[in-house]
Amino acid sequence: GLASSGLHTNGYSLARQALDGLDWNVPIRELGGTPGDALLKTHLCYLTSIRRLQSAGVDIHGLAHITGGGIVENLPRILPAQVGAHIHEGSWPILPIFDLIQRLGNINKAEMYRVFNMGLGMLVIVPPEHVEMAQAALANDLYVVGETIAGEGVRITEQEAD
């Protein structure tokens, strides 16, 4: 998974509803700035990261840009029939803006993952034997967030503590 900078271009209707009543110009400690700044973070371009993976010889089997529909709707679009995904929540940092939206909007976790990217702007599918190469190519810019599984759809579970 490649990190997002924030909402990117999706979920603003729900975010506005959840954050209604906040002054978007007043800093909130957990955000490290204002809600307005957090909501308007520039959408990231993943081309440089993808090119670095390709240059390193990583065999990219699929790319899922996490836009409208969140992880649970975008990831299955690139997977073959009878292939699903198991995503381990906690294997990447969820940005504070998503925690704030969920808490203030009283939004359940399933809906958050259906609407927002939750801090992952692009998911990259690589063979297991290429994960270390991908990590070396992107250093701290890549999170191993799950694996493909037999079945269909996306299952998101909390990562178990070591």
Side-chain angles (χ1 to χ4, degrees), residues 11 19 48 69 89 103 118 120:
L19 302 177
T48 300
E89 182 182 60
R103 184 170 39 86
M118 298 302 287
L120 294 173

Side-chain angles (χ1 to χ4, degrees), residues 28-159:
I28 296 177
R29 184 181 356 217
E30 68 189 273
L31 295 180
T34 69
D37 289 340
L39 290 170
L40 295 176
K41 292 274 186 191
T42 303
H43 189 299
L44 297 177
C45 175
Y46 296 101
L47 182 59
T48 300
S49 295
I50 299 308
R51 286 188 174 155
R52 285 175 43 202
L53 291 172
Q54 290 173 324
S55 294
V58 175
D59 186 11
I60 298 172
H61 286 192
L63 297 168
H65 191 202
I66 308 305
T67 59
I71 294 169
V72 297
E73 291 183 15
N74 285 278
L75 183 53
R77 292 177 186 153
I78 68 161
L79 299 174
Q82 306 304 312
V83 176
H86 181 198
I87 303 296
H88 306 283
E89 182 182 60
S91 57
W92 75 93
I94 294 177
L95 300 173
I97 188 64
F98 296 116
D99 292 330
L100 184 68
I101 290 167
Q102 183 177 12
R103 184 170 39 86
L104 294 181
N106 195 30
I107 303 165
N108 69 53
K109 194 177 287 193
E111 181 71 355
M112 292 294 294
Y113 278 98
R114 192 190 68 73
V115 174
F116 299 108
N117 66 52
M118 298 302 287
L120 294 173
M122 176 78 68
L123 294 176
V124 183
I125 308 296
V126 303
E129 61 271 14
H130 284 219
V131 170
E132 286 184 23
M133 286 177 18
Q135 288 176 303
L138 295 181
N140 297 325
D141 295 331
L142 176 82
Y143 300 96
V144 178
V145 300
E147 61 275 338
T148 56
I149 57 173
E152 293 188 357
V154 175
R155 182 178 61 175
I156 300 172
T157 58
E158 291 184 35
Q159 185 172 354

